[in-house]
Protein backbone atom coordinates (compact mmCIF):
# COMPACT_ATOMS: atom_id res chain seq x y z
CA UNK A 1 0.00 0.00 0.00
CA UNK A 2 0.88 3.63 -0.04
CA UNK A 3 0.72 6.32 2.64
CA UNK A 4 1.92 9.89 2.64
CA UNK A 5 2.38 12.30 5.50
CA UNK A 6 2.36 16.05 5.28
CA UNK A 7 1.64 18.78 7.84
CA UNK A 8 -2.01 19.68 8.18
CA UNK A 9 -1.50 23.45 8.40
CA UNK A 10 1.16 26.02 7.64
CA UNK A 11 0.95 29.78 8.11
CA UNK A 12 3.32 32.37 6.62
CA UNK A 13 3.37 36.04 5.70
CA UNK A 14 3.35 37.64 2.30
CA UNK A 15 6.75 37.70 0.67
CA UNK A 16 8.09 34.88 2.80
CA UNK A 17 9.27 31.41 1.79
CA UNK A 18 7.51 28.28 2.98
CA UNK A 19 8.38 24.61 2.65
CA UNK A 20 5.78 21.85 2.80
CA UNK A 21 7.26 18.44 3.49
CA UNK A 22 5.95 15.08 2.41
CA UNK A 23 7.19 11.68 3.50
CA UNK A 24 5.89 8.56 1.87
CA UNK A 25 5.76 4.82 2.26
CA UNK A 26 4.89 3.13 -0.95
CA UNK A 27 5.35 -0.08 -2.83
CA UNK A 28 6.62 0.40 -6.34
CA UNK A 29 7.07 4.15 -6.03
CA UNK A 30 7.11 5.91 -9.38
CA UNK A 31 7.23 9.64 -8.65
CA UNK A 32 5.92 12.46 -6.44
CA UNK A 33 3.49 15.10 -7.64
CA UNK A 34 2.18 18.27 -6.04
CA UNK A 35 -1.25 19.83 -6.49
CA UNK A 36 -2.83 23.06 -5.36
CA UNK A 37 -6.50 23.34 -4.51
CA UNK A 38 -8.36 26.53 -3.67
CA UNK A 39 -11.59 26.36 -1.68
CA UNK A 40 -14.41 25.27 -3.94
CA UNK A 41 -12.04 24.46 -6.78
CA UNK A 42 -10.41 21.42 -8.32
CA UNK A 43 -6.85 20.27 -7.68
CA UNK A 44 -4.43 21.72 -10.20
CA UNK A 45 -1.04 20.27 -10.99
CA UNK A 46 2.03 22.15 -9.79
CA UNK A 47 5.05 19.91 -10.14
CA UNK A 48 6.32 16.37 -10.57
CA UNK A 49 9.56 14.67 -9.55
CA UNK A 50 10.43 11.29 -10.97
CA UNK A 51 14.13 11.64 -10.21
CA UNK A 52 16.02 12.88 -7.18
CA UNK A 53 16.70 16.57 -7.09
CA UNK A 54 15.06 19.91 -7.47
CA UNK A 55 12.51 20.94 -10.09
CA UNK A 56 11.86 24.67 -10.40
CA UNK A 57 8.81 26.27 -11.94
CA UNK A 58 8.67 29.99 -11.33
CA UNK A 59 8.06 30.73 -7.65
CA UNK A 60 7.45 27.04 -6.91
CA UNK A 61 10.08 24.33 -6.59
CA UNK A 62 9.79 20.70 -5.67
CA UNK A 63 12.42 18.33 -4.36
CA UNK A 64 12.63 14.56 -4.12
CA UNK A 65 14.97 12.21 -2.30
CA UNK A 66 14.12 8.59 -3.07
CA UNK A 67 16.63 7.25 -0.58
CA UNK A 68 14.89 9.20 2.20
CA UNK A 69 11.34 8.66 0.85
CA UNK A 70 10.93 12.38 1.21
CA UNK A 71 10.00 15.37 -0.84
CA UNK A 72 9.00 18.96 -0.37
CA UNK A 73 7.31 21.82 -2.12
CA UNK A 74 8.98 25.21 -1.76
CA UNK A 75 6.94 28.34 -2.34
CA UNK A 76 8.83 31.62 -2.62
CA UNK A 77 7.70 35.24 -2.56
CA UNK A 78 4.39 34.19 -1.07
CA UNK A 79 1.29 36.00 -2.26
CA UNK A 80 -2.16 36.10 -0.73
CA UNK A 81 -3.46 34.06 -3.65
CA UNK A 82 -1.19 31.19 -2.60
CA UNK A 83 -3.53 30.53 0.34
CA UNK A 84 -4.87 27.09 -0.57
CA UNK A 85 -4.53 23.41 0.18
CA UNK A 86 -1.47 21.62 -1.16
CA UNK A 87 -1.39 17.88 -1.75
CA UNK A 88 1.51 15.59 -2.43
CA UNK A 89 0.67 12.47 -4.41
CA UNK A 90 2.67 9.34 -5.02
CA UNK A 91 2.31 7.34 -8.19
CA UNK A 92 2.94 3.63 -8.08
CA UNK A 93 4.97 1.78 -10.71
CA UNK A 94 1.66 0.71 -12.18
CA UNK A 95 1.01 4.44 -12.52
CA UNK A 96 -2.65 3.62 -12.65
CA UNK A 97 -2.82 4.37 -8.96
CA UNK A 98 -2.18 7.69 -7.31
CA UNK A 99 -2.32 8.10 -3.56
CA UNK A 100 -2.75 11.58 -2.17
CA UNK A 101 -1.59 12.91 1.16
CA UNK A 102 -4.20 14.44 3.43
CA UNK A 103 -3.27 17.95 2.30
CA UNK A 104 -1.63 20.98 3.89
CA UNK A 105 -3.68 24.13 4.34
CA UNK A 106 -1.46 27.13 3.69
CA UNK A 107 -2.60 30.47 5.03
CA UNK A 108 -0.75 33.53 3.82
CA UNK A 109 -1.17 36.59 6.03
CA UNK A 110 -0.49 40.22 5.11
CA UNK B 1 -12.25 24.10 -24.71
CA UNK B 2 -12.56 22.47 -21.31
CA UNK B 3 -9.97 19.72 -20.90
CA UNK B 4 -11.88 17.56 -18.38
CA UNK B 5 -15.57 18.18 -17.94
CA UNK B 6 -18.08 16.68 -15.53
CA UNK B 7 -21.84 16.84 -15.35
CA UNK B 8 -23.69 17.72 -13.29
CA UNK B 9 -21.82 20.21 -11.14
CA UNK B 10 -24.29 19.84 -8.29
CA UNK B 11 -26.48 16.89 -7.44
CA UNK B 12 -28.96 16.86 -4.57
CA UNK B 13 -30.95 13.70 -4.06
CA UNK B 14 -32.72 11.52 -1.53
CA UNK B 15 -31.32 8.46 0.18
CA UNK B 16 -31.97 5.30 -1.75
CA UNK B 17 -31.98 6.94 -5.16
CA UNK B 18 -29.71 6.00 -8.07
CA UNK B 19 -27.68 8.69 -9.82
CA UNK B 20 -24.95 9.04 -12.45
CA UNK B 21 -22.11 11.47 -12.99
CA UNK B 22 -20.54 11.85 -16.41
CA UNK B 23 -16.96 12.72 -17.26
CA UNK B 24 -15.29 13.50 -20.56
CA UNK B 25 -11.74 14.47 -21.42
CA UNK B 26 -10.52 15.90 -24.71
CA UNK B 27 -6.81 15.62 -23.99
CA UNK B 28 -6.33 12.24 -25.63
CA UNK B 29 -5.15 10.72 -22.34
CA UNK B 30 -5.24 6.96 -21.91
CA UNK B 31 -6.01 6.87 -18.18
CA UNK B 32 -8.98 8.25 -16.27
CA UNK B 33 -9.78 8.31 -12.57
CA UNK B 34 -12.56 8.92 -10.11
CA UNK B 35 -11.73 10.48 -6.74
CA UNK B 36 -13.91 11.19 -3.72
CA UNK B 37 -13.16 14.24 -1.56
CA UNK B 38 -14.95 14.28 1.76
CA UNK B 39 -15.77 17.18 4.06
CA UNK B 40 -12.28 17.01 5.57
CA UNK B 41 -10.86 17.48 2.07
CA UNK B 42 -9.20 14.06 2.01
CA UNK B 43 -8.83 13.03 -1.63
CA UNK B 44 -9.22 9.28 -2.14
CA UNK B 45 -8.90 7.40 -5.38
CA UNK B 46 -11.89 5.22 -6.19
CA UNK B 47 -11.25 3.84 -9.67
CA UNK B 48 -8.71 4.05 -12.43
CA UNK B 49 -9.25 3.05 -16.05
CA UNK B 50 -6.63 2.66 -18.74
CA UNK B 51 -7.87 2.45 -22.33
CA UNK B 52 -11.35 1.52 -21.12
CA UNK B 53 -10.08 -1.23 -18.82
CA UNK B 54 -10.43 -1.09 -15.06
CA UNK B 55 -7.00 -1.17 -13.44
CA UNK B 56 -7.69 0.09 -9.93
CA UNK B 57 -10.71 -0.45 -7.71
CA UNK B 58 -10.03 0.84 -4.24
CA UNK B 59 -12.35 -1.07 -1.92
CA UNK B 60 -15.31 0.94 -3.07
CA UNK B 61 -18.77 -0.46 -2.27
CA UNK B 62 -20.25 -2.27 -5.21
CA UNK B 63 -23.07 0.30 -5.22
CA UNK B 64 -20.56 2.34 -7.23
CA UNK B 65 -20.13 1.18 -10.78
CA UNK B 66 -17.85 2.97 -13.23
CA UNK B 67 -18.33 2.60 -16.95
CA UNK B 68 -15.98 3.63 -19.70
CA UNK B 69 -17.63 3.52 -23.13
CA UNK B 70 -14.42 4.80 -24.72
CA UNK B 71 -11.13 6.15 -23.48
CA UNK B 72 -12.42 9.72 -23.48
CA UNK B 73 -15.33 9.01 -21.15
CA UNK B 74 -15.62 7.60 -17.66
CA UNK B 75 -19.01 7.68 -16.00
CA UNK B 76 -19.90 6.84 -12.42
CA UNK B 77 -23.21 5.30 -11.47
CA UNK B 78 -24.22 5.09 -7.83
CA UNK B 79 -27.05 2.86 -6.63
CA UNK B 80 -29.00 3.14 -3.40
CA UNK B 81 -27.39 6.38 -2.31
CA UNK B 82 -26.51 6.76 1.37
CA UNK B 83 -25.88 9.80 3.52
CA UNK B 84 -22.16 8.95 3.65
CA UNK B 85 -21.92 9.27 -0.11
CA UNK B 86 -22.24 13.03 0.23
CA UNK B 87 -18.94 14.43 -1.03
CA UNK B 88 -17.32 16.09 -4.00
CA UNK B 89 -16.45 13.63 -6.76
CA UNK B 90 -13.62 14.51 -9.11
CA UNK B 91 -12.82 12.95 -12.41
CA UNK B 92 -9.24 13.22 -13.70
CA UNK B 93 -7.21 12.09 -16.66
CA UNK B 94 -3.52 11.53 -17.38
CA UNK B 95 -1.05 9.59 -19.45
CA UNK B 96 -0.33 6.31 -17.72
CA UNK B 97 3.11 6.61 -16.21
CA UNK B 98 2.95 10.39 -16.21
CA UNK B 99 2.93 12.45 -13.05
CA UNK B 100 0.45 15.10 -14.09
CA UNK B 101 -3.27 14.58 -13.70
CA UNK B 102 -5.87 16.98 -15.03
CA UNK B 103 -8.93 17.27 -12.83
CA UNK B 104 -12.48 18.07 -13.77
CA UNK B 105 -14.36 20.80 -11.88
CA UNK B 106 -15.98 18.30 -9.52
CA UNK B 107 -19.53 17.22 -8.78
CA UNK B 108 -20.87 18.10 -5.35
CA UNK B 109 -23.23 15.31 -4.32
CA UNK B 110 -25.57 15.90 -1.41
CA UNK B 111 -27.67 13.00 -0.17
CA UNK B 112 -30.60 14.00 2.04
Amino acid sequence: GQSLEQPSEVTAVEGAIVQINCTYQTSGFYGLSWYQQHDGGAPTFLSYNALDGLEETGRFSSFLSRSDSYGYLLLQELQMKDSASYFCAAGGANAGKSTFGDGTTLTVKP
Amino acid sequence: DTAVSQTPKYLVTQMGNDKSIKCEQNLGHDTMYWYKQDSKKFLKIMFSYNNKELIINETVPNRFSPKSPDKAHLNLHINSLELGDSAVYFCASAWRGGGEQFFGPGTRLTVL
Side-chain angles (χ1 to χ4, degrees):
Chain A
Q2 297 177 321
S3 68
L4 297 94
E5 286 194 19
Q6 53 182 126
S8 58
E9 293 180 347
V10 173
T11 301
V13 296
E14 256 186 314
I17 298 173
V18 73
Q19 179 173 310
I20 300 174
N21 298 321
C22 176
T23 57
Y24 60 87
Q25 290 185 325
T26 69
S27 53
F29 175 79
Y30 197 84
L32 194 69
S33 304
W34 288 93
Y35 292 82
Q36 178 192 62
Q37 185 180 27
H38 286 101
D39 275 349
T44 56
F45 172 80
L46 291 176
S47 189
Y48 175 63
N49 294 73
L51 304 174
D52 283 1
L54 193 67
E55 292 281 341
E56 296 180 82
T57 310
R59 295 188 296 114
F60 296 176
S61 304
S62 59
F63 173 82
L64 176 66
S65 169
R66 286 174 170 265
S67 59
D68 296 323
S69 297
Y70 163 76
Y72 66 72
L73 179 70
L74 190 73
L75 299 90
Q76 303 182 72
E77 300 172 22
L78 281 173
Q79 302 174 9
M80 298 296 289
K81 67 178 182 179
D82 297 329
S83 291
S85 293
Y86 292 84
F87 294 87
C88 57
N94 180 345
K97 177 169 183 171
S98 221
T99 301
F100 279 70
D102 288 345
T104 298
T105 300
L106 170 65
T107 303
V108 180
K109 296 188 172 179
Chain B
D1 275 346
T2 304
V4 183
S5 59
Q6 294 178 229
T7 53
K9 190 168 175 60
Y10 299 96
L11 192 49
V12 181
T13 188
Q14 300 285 334
M15 267 197 316
N17 284 350
D18 303 338
K19 290 294 176 185
S20 292
I21 307 172
K22 295 186 175 181
C23 178
E24 176 181 1
Q25 56 98 1
N26 63 8
L27 299 165
H29 289 155
D30 58 1
T31 305
M32 294 185 73
Y33 308 82
W34 277 111
Y35 289 90
K36 178 181 180 180
Q37 187 169 46
D38 60 23
S39 56
K40 294 183 179 178
K41 295 191 176 180
F42 298 151
L43 199 57
K44 301 297 182 193
I45 190 168
M46 301 173 68
F47 301 102
S48 172
Y49 270 72
N50 178 256
N51 285 322
K52 302 193 305 175
E53 288 190 24
L54 178 68
I55 52 175
I56 297 289
N57 179 342
E58 280 295 298
T59 61
V60 177
N62 58 15
R63 297 183 296 104
F64 291 78
S65 51
K67 284 196 170 47
S68 182
D70 55 62
K71 73 172 191 177
H73 295 84
L74 181 61
N75 303 324
L76 184 65
H77 187 76
I78 315 169
N79 289 326
S80 304
L81 278 156
E82 300 178 356
L83 292 176
D85 297 333
S86 294
V88 180
Y89 292 83
F90 287 101
C91 175
S93 73
W95 290 112
R96 185 170 184 171
E100 179 177 3
Q101 293 184 30
F102 290 78
F103 282 78
T107 296
R108 182 172 294 277
L109 171 64
T110 303
V111 182
L112 304 175

